[in-house]
Amino acid sequence: MTKDQKVVAIQEIKDLLQDAKVVYVADLEGLNAGKASDFRRQAFKQNIKVKVVKNTLLQKAMEQIEGVDYSEMFQSFKGNSAIMISETANAPAKLIKDFRKKDEKPALKSAFVQETFYIGDNNLEALANIKSREEMIGEIIGLLQSPIQRVVSALQNKPETVEAKAEEAAPAVEEASATETPETPAAEGEAPAAE
């Protein structure tokens, strides 16, 4: 690879990493061409960008990214590496985990997720269990809807009971006004006599 080609390759990697919040580095070595293309196809369907890179070029690109110090990941850059960029925190981990049901590879080398570094394949399960933004929003909406649904249900049932109570109370109000009418003048009459 010429120096110009390296500069171009580093720039391509930087462009991928520039605003990435979720970065995985995986080992795809050992996957034959068919399995590798199947892995890429599944990644594409899940909106995960996959790019096989040279470790030295990846490290140089990461060193040039401002705002994030990727140096913790550099120790894992050995052998064949592929970067996986996603919007969803757990999507690459789930993809690797699902793919490994049929094969030993890919293996997780390292990941940068939610401003935290994960080094080693032993973190795959933890990463797969991270709730995505959409899952968290769904849970919050579900929790918020539960009390609201109870209130709506109560309000939908309340007009019937309010109307029934109003009908029961209406004759009582009429009876009370009829009995209060004679007492009211008597009370007025007694007040001046007391003065």
Side-chain angles (χ1 to χ4, degrees), residues 7 14-15 29 49 63 67 77 84 100 122 131 146 163-164 178:
V7 169
K14 276 177 57 178
D15 291 344
E29 194 171 3
K49 296 175 187 168
E63 288 170 347
F77 296 174
M84 302 172 71
R100 286 210 334 221
N122 57 331
K131 295 203 182 286
S146 179
E163 288 172 8

Side-chain angles (χ1 to χ4, degrees), residues 6 25 73:
K6 288 179 181 178
V25 179
M73 297 175 79

Side-chain angles (χ1 to χ4, degrees), residues 39 94-108 121-122 124:
F39 182 78
K94 285 183 174 180
L95 175 62
I96 291 170
K97 193 174 167 189
D98 288 345
F99 209 79
R100 286 210 334 221
K101 289 177 183 174
K102 298 176 261 177
D103 212 320
E104 291 179 19
K105 297 285 182 167
L108 175 69
D121 194 59
N122 57 331
L124 186 63

Side-chain angles (χ1 to χ4, degrees), residues 16-91:
L16 279 173
L17 295 172
Q18 194 58 52
D19 296 320
K21 303 281 186 244
V22 177
V23 179
Y24 283 66
V25 179
D27 178 6
L28 302 181
E29 194 171 3
L31 292 180
N32 64 29
K35 290 178 181 177
S37 65
D38 185 35
F39 182 78
R40 286 176 184 267
R41 198 174 309 111
Q42 288 181 33
F44 180 78
K45 286 179 185 175
Q46 296 179 33
N47 208 19
I48 302 169
K49 296 175 187 168
V50 177
K51 181 169 181 65
V52 176
V53 294
K54 290 188 176 283
N55 293 321
T56 54
L57 300 180
L58 176 58
Q59 183 171 334
K60 286 182 181 181
M62 286 182 159
E63 288 170 347
Q64 295 176 19
I65 298 291
E66 292 181 19
V68 181
D69 179 13
Y70 288 104
S71 61
E72 284 187 52
M73 297 175 79
F74 297 165
Q75 66 185 354
S76 69
F77 296 174
K78 294 176 181 75
N80 187 344
S81 294
I83 55 172
M84 302 172 71
I85 310 293
S86 174
E87 293 292 319
T88 307
N90 62 0

